Amino acid sequence: MTSSVRFDPAGPLRGTYTPPPDKSISHRAALFAAMTDEPVTVENYLDSEDTRSTLDAVMALGAGIEHDPGGRVLVRGVGLHAPLEATGGLMNVGNAGTLMRLLPGWLAGQPGGVWTLDGDESIRRRPVDRVAEPLKQMGASVEAREGRFPPFTVRGANLTGIEYDLPVPSAQVKSCVLIAGMLASGATTVTEGSMSRDHTERMMRRARVPFVRDGLRITVAQVDELELDHVVVPGDPSSAAFIVAAAILVGGSRVVVEDVGLNWTRTGFYRIAERMRAVIVGELEEPGAELDGEPVGELDVASGPLEGTVVEPEEVPLAIDELTLVALLGAHAEGETVVRGAEELRLKESDRIEGVVDGLRALGADIEATPDGFTVRGDGSPLRGGTIDARGDHRMAMLGAVAGLASTEGVEVVGMDAAAVSYPRFEHELRALL
Ligand code: S3P
């Protein structure tokens, strides 16, 4: 069922806000816990549609999952070598791209096992050849619809390590190869073109997997087992970015964001917003605190006038899920905002270049698409408003909500329910700050 929700121009956002648990780290925590022989407690695991798909997937592989009243998830893993009784299954990843791309890394290393991964309509148009190719090179057999799309069948094998240069800047592909590398004989080296989120590397460190990073090259060796007993998930900087953008745009706002992950590979949006003159006070460059191997901290955000900026390709992976918000800030800023080198946005839960350009233009923005991004021009005045279709994409739904609060006439978001994929309490928490 598709829900339409109106977001009218509203008064300032004020107060203290704690973002939901990080989605990327929750997926990895569940997968690594399932690959561990001993039980692992995951504290602050994200409760959302995507991360439920990951718990379902590891249960289908034989892991036990228990939720305790304190919000912790206890995972009784099956070890690195998943039991083959669980083979032959069809695994439904729902809308979860991270699960679709990381899980095959583990499955590929199970000789004799065969699994087919499928998901919703959106996942079926997102390519898996990017993970199929390195897994084939490592010795697994894989099959995808038209060689490219889910359903995606993985036949496990005794893998051999490879040297792999990532053809696309993708933390998901890097992670898939590193996970397969933990099961492959010899060394597996992945080289990225520019830095992307490093949560998998940090999770490997927690699980005592020996690996070496040399600049953009990461080399991992085969391991017998993971050693993990407890993971604590920090707040999600991508989810928080929607609230922060609202605080930047709605006049008179002042919001303190607590316990948010400040891993540098995830905070590109905040640095771009600062460059646009947004007032964000916090330890963005060098967070002083860590929570279980991930930098965390506080950000103090206030509204104010913005100016345009240029986002260069190497910044894109560091802000990939927030670039639609850069477009929204750009529409309210004085001058031109350009995003380049972001063609990956076309392959997200929806084509986010088309979605943001059509969506914001319908609200009154002067914005145009380019093959690898967009250009938006503003004169510092707010958008008019109108209707925006989330196109089944959680981040487009949340973008529409923020656009509504900052507009002069309000925005009707068609398909607001999509937000539950990553942030079920988004609307509630946004309105609570008003
Ligand atoms: C993610 C990586 C990014 C991001 C996605 C989550 C991850 O995708 O867009 O929401 O958890 O590794 P790509 O690595 O494909 O860019």
Side-chain angles (χ1 to χ4, degrees):
M1 199 191 65
T2 304
S3 59
S4 271
V5 181
R6 252 200 98 68
F7 292 86
D8 283 313
L13 285 86
R14 295 216 152 235
T16 300
Y17 158 75
T18 307
D22 192 281
K23 180 158 85 71
S24 280
I25 300 174
S26 293
H27 283 303
R28 285 157 174 83
L31 289 173
F32 273 69
M35 290 188 262
T36 304
D37 296 290
E38 299 296 322
V40 179
T41 312
V42 185
E43 227 171 287
N44 204 33
Y45 187 82
L46 174 66
D47 184 16
S48 71
E49 286 174 8
D50 253 22
T51 45
R52 250 174 262 142
S53 295
T54 297
L55 294 183
D56 290 346
V58 300
M59 278 195 283
L61 289 166
I65 300 292
E66 289 163 35
H67 296 267
D68 84 6
R72 283 175 291 259
V73 176
L74 178 75
V75 183
R76 294 184 194 282
V78 293
L80 260 183
H81 304 282
L84 291 178
E85 306 88 78
T87 191
L90 175 71
M91 321 208 33
N92 181 0
V93 307
N95 190 252
T98 302
L99 178 58
M100 178 55 98
R101 305 232 175 67
L102 267 59
L103 181 58
W106 183 22
L107 301 179
Q110 314 299 324
V114 48
W115 289 271
T116 297
L117 283 75
D118 200 359
D120 67 8
E121 209 186 300
S122 148
I123 214 87
R124 280 189 162 204
R125 48 159 286 278
R126 301 182 63 191
V128 287
D129 49 345
R130 46 185 58 201
V131 292
E133 184 50 40
L135 294 178
K136 258 195 293 198
Q137 289 182 21
M138 295 176 90
S141 317
V142 291
E143 248 168 75
R145 181 172 53 86
E146 296 166 26
R148 243 196 121 197
F149 300 107
F152 182 38
T153 299
V154 182
R155 275 170 220 282
N158 289 308
L159 302 179
T160 311
I162 54 167
E163 290 235 2
Y164 195 68
D165 289 351
L166 290 180
V168 283
S170 165
Q172 293 179 348
V173 181
K174 168 178 73 174
S175 301
C176 175
V177 180
L178 289 176
I179 291 170
M182 300 194 304
L183 287 142
S185 61
T188 298
T189 300
V190 188
T191 306
E192 26 185 9
S194 71
M195 192 76 188
S196 67
R197 67 187 68 190
D198 64 355
H199 303 306
T200 299
E201 295 90 305
R202 288 172 187 266
M203 195 62 74
M204 292 197 307
R205 190 169 300 131
R206 282 190 188 90
R208 301 193 191 288
V209 176
F211 71 96
V212 186
R213 177 184 271 284
D214 175 11
L216 296 171
R217 264 168 75 90
I218 309 147
T219 302
V220 61
Q222 189 172 29
V223 286
D224 293 331
E225 58 180 12
L226 304 187
E227 288 178 46
L228 199 63
D229 54 14
H230 191 193
V231 180
V232 189
V233 181
D236 195 318
S238 299
S239 299
F242 290 86
I243 303 286
V244 166
I248 292 171
L249 291 174
V250 176
S253 297
R254 171 98 191 257
V255 173
V256 175
V257 185
E258 289 186 329
D259 301 327
V260 59
L262 292 181
N263 180 323
W264 186 85
T265 64
R266 289 290 298 285
T267 48
F269 165 74
Y270 297 92
R271 289 188 290 277
I272 295 165
E274 274 191 323
R275 221 160 60 216
M276 298 178 83
R277 302 264 175 256
V279 183
I280 304 177
V281 180
E283 298 166 308
L284 273 179
E285 283 313 314
E286 278 185 50
E290 283 213 349
L291 179 68
D292 202 10
E294 287 280 352
V296 291
E298 187 177 287
L299 297 174
D300 189 341
V301 187
S303 64
L306 299 172
E307 61 186 51
T309 192
V310 177
V311 176
E312 298 292 354
E314 62 278 8
E315 290 181 279
V316 164
L318 311 173
I320 186 72
D321 293 333
E322 296 80 56
L323 289 172
T324 54
L325 283 173
V326 173
L328 180 63
L329 296 191
H332 287 80
E334 176 100 44
E336 192 170 78
T337 297
V338 182
V339 172
R340 287 201 262 265
E343 54 273 25
E344 276 294 303
L345 285 182
R346 297 202 181 273
L347 303 174
K348 294 297 174 191
E349 287 81 331
S350 66
D351 177 340
R352 288 190 182 149
I353 294 182
E354 191 183 278
V356 77
V357 168
D358 292 354
L360 294 188
R361 191 179 286 149
L363 306 184
D366 176 5
I367 182 167
E368 71 211 27
T370 58
D372 66 345
F374 47 80
T375 301
V376 52
R377 285 169 219 90
D379 61 7
S381 49
L383 290 179
R384 183 190 62 236
T387 299
I388 193 166
D389 187 344
R391 305 179 185 210
D393 182 335
H394 53 130
R395 300 203 201 273
M396 294 303 296
M398 295 189 283
L399 175 83
V402 178
L405 298 187
S407 69
T408 55
E409 294 176 12
V411 171
E412 179 95 15
V413 183
V414 180
M416 192 61 215
D417 47 324
V421 160
S422 62
Y423 196 168
R425 288 178 56 77
F426 170 73
E427 188 184 337
H428 174 86
E429 293 183 355
L430 178 67
R431 295 202 195 273
L433 287 165
L434 289 169

